Amino acid sequence: MGLPALEFSDCYLDSPQFRERLKSHELELDKTNKFIKELIKDGKALIQALKCLSTAKRKFADSLNEFKFQCIGDAETDDEICIAKSLQEFAAVLQNLEDERTRMIENANDVLIMPLERFRKEQISAAKEAKKKYDKETEKYCAVLEKHLSLSARKKESHLHEADNQVDNVRQHFYAVSLEYVFKVQEVQERKMFDFVEPLLAFLQGLFTYYHHGYELAKDFNHFKTDLTISIQNTRNRFESTRSEVECLMRKMKENPHEHKSVSQHTMEGYLFVQEKRSFVSTWVKYYCTYHREPKRVTMVLFDPKSGGKMGEEESFMLKSCTRRKTDSIEKRFCFDVEAVDRPGVITMQALSEEDRRLWMEAMDGREPVGYHVAQLDVIGFNVMKKFIYAVDTRGINEQGLYRIVGVSSRVQKLLSLAMDPKTCADVELENPEWEIKTITSAIKHYLRMLPAPLMTYQYQRSFIKAAKLDNPEARVTEIHALVHRLPEKNRQMLELLMKHLANVANHHQQNLMTVANLGVVFGPTLLRPQEETVAAIMDIKFQNIVVEILIEHNERIFKDMPNSAGSSTNMQLNLPRRRSTESKAPSCSERPLTLFHTPTHSQKSEKRNSVVNATVAELQQPVSSSANCNSSILNLLSDSHSLVVSSIVGRKARALYACKAEHDSELSFIAGTIFENVHASREPGWLEGTLDGRTGLIPENYVEFL
């Protein structure tokens, strides 16, 4: 299992559970920092001591082989698995070259040492400074809160108001510092996925240039390098998308922390002060309390703030009722009374604030008002969506950045108000130049966000994420296919309408630059938004995107065909959970078929460099221009790599050397030894086109030999 996600709310930031989770992240940061120092030390040894090069390479390889990525969450994407395995792959390559001593490694300091030192100094050091501020503010906040809660409710209103303002200021500062520290820790943990691997990849490419013996191994390594480069790019893109969501959540919590507490319909937890009467005197004792709605059980654990941890045994009881305590009936503020089924008397509890009391009352079936919803999956909603989609398909299907570019908020609100009002919907003419395509696409996204529950429902949200985490691609499609047909009828119909449209958008990606992956980034958080905005939920955005990608690519199969109920039981191996990199054996270059990706020869460098850049931007879904400089080194490495050129071949027979499972409708599935007819060059780099059993499709060029 990986590191636990740092979920937080204002009632959770100084809890024992939060501190325990935070401690595991801090230990991981120390471990990473130590690993970087060792890696830098080993790298310098390669530059300074040519005579000890073989020994240094062995040690360097051992360091890489022993280090395991600890990633947040219970599963990883295919790209993350590829990246996490890369250190072991690099170690295997170094061990193959350990007996070959040629000349001094050039430019190793620039491509390896400096990036790692920069990451350690800029990222890890910043996290340590944030920790110091967090510890200081925690101590200050606890002291001020204790003093504030001891104030009597009989004091003057002005005095109480001034005290409340003082506590709010301290609390807000504490929240801000805490959030900044937590988000910095999360950022470092995510950044290391590519900030470690990218410099190492560039360093290894330099080694291949100077080693004649490693030339053959480098050719075999090229396909993994390309896969890894794509995986790094995809991971970086997902990181940028996730980071923007996290920063948005952080801003929301800073502006109004009370609206973003981690509260669900099943549980409530936080600190409460419980009144205990002893010999004519009542005292208030601090407890960390948890309430589970389903069994209606309240659990209290005595908490000693001086020790900073839990003290004593747990006390629990079944809740019978919960009543707000009027201010004039008790000196303390923010109080409420609870009655237990299995113990006599009334228990008086004091919350930390009025808002905190409201949340406890709401969780315990109090009388706090619930929210309301605006949009509905009714006739009006379907008509509006059909009208909007038709306008996009006919007017703007080729516009670049479709659904990426956001419309003006006021115009979007105006369009939705007019379109959803039965009195004015007939008068809305979307052909009018007043309604730009970006306004219409933003209205579509906004309508889906306005629904009381996401289109794919809260009930199945975790099931869809779990399906996206399956190891086998076919199993993912099969499970998502079944889940779609469990959705309510209106939800499924609206989802089908949207996916047909998005498939049409993706078919025009050469003009609008919106590939399936780009659309997944846009619609994943909207269609599969979690019930609670937490960091753990945001970490699953990458799997939400994968679900949407599958729905777009396989929309005909998923929505037209009924799922096979026996499919999941007849092939159990398809439903194995997605592997974690730490549990998998490191792949070997010599065990894999040759590369599936065509890379340019030396004579094609300048021409191919531009095409690689374009492919990286258009097909690897880089949403932000700020990372272009970061990727330039990888693009240059790709342009300088060596590979064989497949000449144009027309109408020849070929035999399959390896088995292949098709991932797209345009590809052919086959087993080793299969004979293809009429095999010739394809427009797709790295692929041939051939005929098998009367069907024509794409074949990986290095999976076959010509007869």
Side-chain angles (χ1 to χ4, degrees):
M1 295 299 291
L3 296 175
L6 291 174
E7 300 181 52
F8 45 82
S9 65
D10 62 347
C11 66
Y12 189 62
L13 286 172
D14 61 336
S15 68
Q17 294 93 332
F18 176 80
R19 290 178 177 276
E20 182 179 350
R21 291 186 176 190
L22 193 57
K23 185 64 175 177
S24 63
H25 283 264
E26 292 169 355
L27 292 174
E28 177 62 16
L29 287 180
D30 291 337
K31 178 182 176 183
T32 302
N33 189 32
K34 181 179 178 181
F35 169 70
I36 293 175
K37 290 180 179 179
E38 289 296 321
L39 207 58
I40 292 172
K41 179 181 177 181
D42 297 340
K44 289 181 177 179
L46 293 177
I47 301 172
Q48 297 172 357
L50 181 60
K51 293 181 180 180
C52 300
L53 182 59
S54 179
T55 302
K57 285 171 60 179
R58 287 179 181 272
K59 184 179 179 182
F60 189 64
D62 290 341
S63 298
L64 294 177
N65 200 39
E66 291 173 0
F67 185 79
K68 308 294 183 184
F69 278 109
Q70 291 293 328
C71 303
I72 296 173
D74 58 351
E76 299 168 353
T77 64
D78 291 338
D79 292 322
E80 290 171 338
I81 292 174
C82 179
I83 292 175
K85 287 179 179 178
S86 60
L87 297 185
Q88 285 71 38
E89 184 73 13
F90 299 152
V93 172
L94 288 174
Q95 289 166 355
N96 275 278
L97 296 173
E98 66 185 27
D99 294 330
E100 298 298 324
R101 302 179 185 181
T102 54
R103 51 183 173 174
M104 181 73 73
I105 301 173
E106 299 177 359
N107 299 325
N109 186 65
D110 293 336
V111 300
L112 176 66
I113 305 302
M114 291 178 63
L116 294 177
E117 287 182 336
R118 185 164 55 251
F119 176 80
R120 186 175 66 86
K121 293 178 180 179
E122 295 178 1
Q123 300 299 326
I124 298 181
S125 297
K128 290 184 177 180
E129 289 297 323
K131 181 182 185 302
K132 294 179 181 179
K133 292 177 63 178
Y134 168 76
D135 291 338
K136 182 178 179 180
E137 289 302 321
T138 299
E139 182 179 355
K140 180 180 178 181
Y141 171 66
C142 290
V144 172
L145 185 62
E146 292 282 351
K147 181 179 179 181
H148 176 65
L149 293 177
S150 64
L151 289 177
S152 171
R154 302 183 184 280
K155 289 185 176 292
K156 292 182 179 181
E157 188 65 27
S158 60
H159 183 75
L160 293 175
H161 183 69
E162 180 180 354
D164 289 346
N165 289 338
Q166 181 184 1
V167 172
D168 285 342
N169 291 335
V170 174
R171 181 186 295 115
Q172 290 176 9
H173 188 61
F174 168 69
Y175 291 162
V177 172
S178 301
L179 290 172
E180 289 170 0
Y181 175 44
V182 171
F183 283 108
K184 187 60 184 176
V185 171
Q186 297 279 15
E187 182 180 1
V188 173
Q189 297 287 38
E190 289 293 304
R191 273 183 174 276
K192 70 180 182 182
M193 288 293 291
F194 46 84
D195 278 347
F196 280 5
V197 179
E198 199 168 30
L200 290 166
L201 180 60
F203 169 71
L204 286 176
Q205 183 63 29
L207 283 179
F208 290 138
T209 306
Y210 299 107
Y211 284 91
H212 176 73
H213 175 77
Y215 176 70
E216 293 298 326
L217 182 61
K219 288 196 300 183
D220 196 32
F221 179 80
N222 265 336
H223 84 281
F224 180 79
K225 182 193 69 176
T226 306
D227 283 346
L228 181 58
T229 303
I230 296 172
S231 296
I232 291 173
Q233 186 64 42
N234 290 341
T235 304
R236 187 192 301 276
N237 292 342
R238 292 190 177 107
F239 165 75
E240 293 292 344
S241 175
T242 302
R243 182 183 181 185
S244 64
E245 294 287 338
V246 174
E247 289 177 343
C248 180
L249 175 59
M250 182 175 67
R251 286 194 298 270
K252 290 179 182 178
M253 296 185 69
K254 283 184 176 181
E255 293 169 0
N256 196 347
H258 297 306
E259 292 184 1
H260 294 84
K261 297 183 178 182
S262 180
V263 181
S264 72
Q265 62 177 345
H266 302 296
T267 185
M268 176 71 185
E269 60 181 332
Y271 289 108
L272 291 172
F273 286 80
V274 179
Q275 186 182 40
E276 296 184 357
K277 297 180 180 180
R278 302 172 183 171
S279 303
F280 307 105
V281 178
S282 62
T283 60
W284 293 86
V285 183
K286 189 176 183 180
Y287 286 87
Y288 192 82
C289 302
T290 304
Y291 173 69
H292 295 275
R293 172 170 291 189
E294 191 62 32
K296 287 193 172 184
R297 177 167 293 279
V298 179
T299 302
M300 304 189 307
V301 180
L302 182 64
F303 184 80
D304 183 4
K306 295 181 180 179
S307 65
K310 296 180 179 179
M311 301 291 293
E313 299 293 331
E314 288 188 351
E315 300 180 37
S316 63
F317 58 86
M318 299 297 292
L319 180 68
K320 180 180 180 182
S321 65
C322 177
T323 308
R324 179 192 296 275
R325 189 69 178 263
K326 293 183 179 181
T327 304
D328 56 3
S329 66
I330 192 170
E331 286 188 353
K332 298 285 187 178
R333 299 191 297 162
F334 320 135
C335 294
F336 59 94
D337 293 335
V338 297
E339 291 185 89
V341 175
D342 48 357
R343 60 192 293 182
V346 175
I347 303 173
T348 300
M349 296 181 171
Q350 181 187 25
L352 301 182
S353 64
E354 184 63 37
E355 176 68 11
D356 191 40
R357 177 170 67 173
R358 183 187 70 79
L359 290 173
W360 279 102
M361 294 284 295
E362 187 175 280
M364 294 180 176
D365 295 327
R367 299 181 181 178
E368 298 294 337
V370 296
Y372 64 95
H373 307 296
V374 179
Q376 297 292 337
L377 290 175
D378 52 13
V379 176
I380 294 177
F382 273 89
N383 290 338
V384 167
M385 285 291 288
K386 289 177 182 178
K387 194 171 184 178
F388 287 170
I389 288 174
Y390 178 78
V392 176
D393 285 338
T394 55
R395 285 181 52 200
I397 196 66
N398 291 327
E399 283 204 11
Q400 290 189 3
L402 193 66
Y403 286 104
R404 280 279 197 193
I405 302 176
V406 181
V408 179
S409 179
S410 59
R411 288 182 175 271
V412 174
Q413 293 289 349
K414 179 181 178 182
L415 175 59
L416 277 175
S417 299
L418 293 174
M420 297 182 68
D421 189 341
K423 298 179 181 179
T424 59
C425 61
D427 299 330
V428 177
E429 297 292 340
L430 295 180
E431 294 79 10
N432 193 320
E434 175 188 3
W435 307 119
E436 299 176 286
I437 291 299
K438 64 181 181 180
T439 303
I440 299 174
T441 55
S442 295
I444 291 175
K445 293 185 290 184
H446 191 67
Y447 167 81
L448 295 172
R449 296 190 192 106
M450 288 167 57
L451 294 173
L455 199 57
M456 299 169 77
T457 73
Y458 292 128
Q459 178 184 357
Y460 294 111
Q461 196 262 353
R462 293 306 308 166
S463 298
F464 278 110
I465 296 298
K466 185 178 179 181
K469 293 179 179 180
L470 293 176
D471 185 44
N472 188 286
E474 178 61 25
R476 299 175 205 167
V477 179
T478 301
E479 185 65 20
I480 290 174
H481 187 186
L483 288 170
V484 166
H485 285 267
R486 295 180 201 167
L487 294 173
E489 183 66 19
K490 290 184 178 180
N491 295 62
R492 187 180 59 79
Q493 291 175 355
M494 181 64 77
L495 188 62
E496 180 180 4
L497 177 67
L498 180 64
M499 289 304 119
K500 283 184 177 179
H501 167 61
L502 295 184
N504 185 34
V505 173
N507 289 337
H508 293 77
H509 72 274
Q510 292 183 347
Q511 292 78 32
N512 58 38
L513 304 183
M514 292 303 293
T515 61
V516 172
N518 273 333
L519 293 170
V521 170
V522 173
F523 283 92
T526 297
L527 300 180
L528 272 171
R529 69 178 187 270
Q531 196 162 8
E532 301 173 24
E533 282 191 348
T534 64
V535 172
I538 291 175
M539 291 300 107
D540 277 338
I541 286 178
K542 54 194 173 186
F543 295 108
Q544 296 172 8
N545 301 347
I546 291 173
V547 173
V548 175
E549 291 174 23
I550 291 173
L551 290 174
I552 296 174
E553 286 188 336
H554 303 275
N555 73 91
E556 288 288 338
R557 167 184 169 182
I558 289 175
F559 293 101
K560 294 299 182 184
D561 301 335
M562 292 300 295
N564 182 5
S565 59
S568 59
S569 60
T570 56
N571 196 353
M572 296 298 293
Q573 65 178 356
L574 293 181
N575 291 322
L576 293 174
R578 185 174 296 216
R579 304 183 309 276
R580 291 196 62 83
S581 58
T582 54
E583 300 168 358
S584 304
K585 178 183 176 182
S588 170
C589 290
S590 60
E591 296 175 357
R592 291 192 301 266
L594 297 177
T595 173
L596 294 178
F597 298 90
H598 176 67
T599 50
T601 61
H602 183 74
S603 62
Q604 297 171 309
K605 286 180 182 179
S606 59
E607 176 184 355
K608 206 65 179 176
R609 181 179 288 109
N610 292 331
S611 65
V612 173
V613 173
N614 293 334
T616 303
V617 174
E619 297 179 14
L620 302 185
Q621 299 87 42
Q622 172 62 311
V624 292
S625 60
S626 61
S627 60
N629 294 332
C630 299
N631 299 328
S632 61
S633 60
I634 292 299
L635 297 179
N636 290 333
L637 287 177
L638 281 176
S639 67
D640 291 334
S641 61
H642 297 280
S643 66
L644 297 175
V645 181
V646 178
S647 60
S648 177
I649 302 165
V650 180
R652 294 178 58 184
K653 289 185 178 182
R655 180 176 66 244
L657 298 175
Y658 313 100
C660 178
K661 178 69 174 178
E663 296 185 358
H664 302 280
D665 294 337
S666 60
E667 302 170 13
L668 294 177
S669 295
F670 50 86
I671 61 175
T674 299
I675 304 298
F676 302 97
E677 301 287 342
N678 192 28
V679 179
H680 55 85
S682 168
R683 293 183 180 180
E684 298 290 336
W687 296 83
L688 301 173
E689 190 172 279
T691 303
L692 177 63
D693 297 332
R695 181 172 177 263
T696 300
L698 297 176
I699 310 165
E701 65 181 12
N702 290 317
Y703 270 45
V704 300
E705 66 177 0
F706 288 92
L707 303 179

